[in-house]
Amino acid sequence: MEITLQYFDGCPNWEVLDQRLAKVLDGRPDVRVVRQRVETAEDAARLRFHGAPTVLIDGVDPFADEHAPVGLACRVFRTPAGLAGSPTLDQLRAVIGGAPMSAATRVESPVGPLPGLPIACALTPSAGKEQVQRWRAFDDEHLFEVERGETRLVVHYARTDDSAQRLRDLVATESECCSFVDWRIDDDHDDLRLVVTGTPDQLAALGVG
């Protein structure tokens, strides 16, 4: 068996999937893993690449959906716990083992504004890189404490003349591209507090905090 992990620079979720594949494939010397970087929109069209990360098992995408767009975008998957940036360990075990997913692992495609599996993030690769750079610059200037919980992340920032507006701008972008978690600014304290809530997998997919 050959597994191909497709990704592009600028979307961090493929590293989460890479780590989960390593756990699932521990003790499976019969499986070969190939990492394939997709660099251009032309490459994405030629490969029918539905976003990062994509996992192919002997050339077949087990999470494919006919409605998913082709292109350089971050891919979001439906899991039993909600939307996340990677399939769960159990979902990967099921598709790699060739067995049908259990009721606890299988997720039906819903009816509504987000049909099918997966869903693509709204940010382009260049916009995604720019957003990461904006976050890093903001953190370097204003971050002073992070509170981590299983389903809640609270990030404390110093309040300055421009930090509140910059944080609002950053959160506005995140709310559009990563709406599978809840983004909220708590403005009722001496400091600024960014509160992000979601499932453990969803928070891990963000790579924040």
Side-chain angles (χ1 to χ4, degrees):
M1 178 187 293
E2 180 174 284
I3 295 178
T4 303
L5 174 56
Q6 296 178 320
Y7 69 98
F8 66 87
D9 291 336
C11 191
N13 295 334
W14 77 270
E15 296 178 353
V16 175
L17 179 52
D18 193 29
Q19 294 168 3
R20 291 180 180 177
L21 280 174
K23 291 181 180 179
V24 170
L25 297 175
D26 186 33
R28 291 287 305 271
D30 58 308
V31 180
R32 176 172 179 256
V33 177
V34 177
R35 294 166 185 82
Q36 182 180 34
R37 184 170 64 183
V38 181
E39 299 186 9
T40 66
E42 290 74 18
D43 288 341
R46 175 175 54 83
L47 296 168
R48 302 297 298 168
F49 175 64
H50 291 285
T54 286
V55 58
L56 305 177
I57 300 177
D58 290 332
V60 177
D61 183 350
F63 301 103
D65 177 75
E66 61 181 348
H67 302 293
V70 170
L72 296 177
C74 288
R75 187 170 174 171
V76 181
F77 297 83
R78 293 190 181 277
T79 75
L83 298 180
S86 168
T88 66
L89 290 170
D90 285 343
Q91 286 177 315
L92 290 171
R93 290 189 184 101
V95 297
I96 291 171
M101 292 190 186
S102 68
T105 304
R106 183 177 60 251
V107 181
E108 300 294 340
S109 296
V111 176
L114 299 177
L117 168 72
I119 303 162
C121 170
L123 293 182
T124 64
S126 60
K129 289 181 181 179
E130 181 179 344
Q131 180 74 348
V132 169
Q133 292 170 353
R134 291 169 64 201
W135 271 118
R136 287 176 177 170
F138 187 76
D139 286 350
D140 287 344
E141 294 176 36
H142 302 294
L143 175 66
F144 64 83
E145 184 181 0
V146 178
E147 299 177 46
R148 303 174 190 273
E150 186 176 2
T151 60
R152 187 170 182 260
L153 182 71
V154 181
V155 188
H156 297 254
Y157 293 102
R159 185 187 295 274
T160 66
D161 291 341
D162 71 336
S163 62
Q165 184 58 54
R166 287 174 64 187
L167 183 59
R168 282 193 290 269
D169 291 343
L170 286 164
V171 168
T173 299
E174 297 296 339
S175 296
E176 292 182 3
C177 74
C178 295
S179 59
F180 52 90
V181 296
D182 180 68
W183 302 82
R184 181 173 62 86
I185 297 175
D186 184 350
D187 204 19
D188 295 331
H189 305 274
D190 291 337
D191 60 348
L192 287 172
R193 301 184 186 185
L194 170 61
V195 182
V196 186
T197 55
T199 68
D201 277 347
Q202 288 169 344
L203 294 183
L206 292 174
V208 298

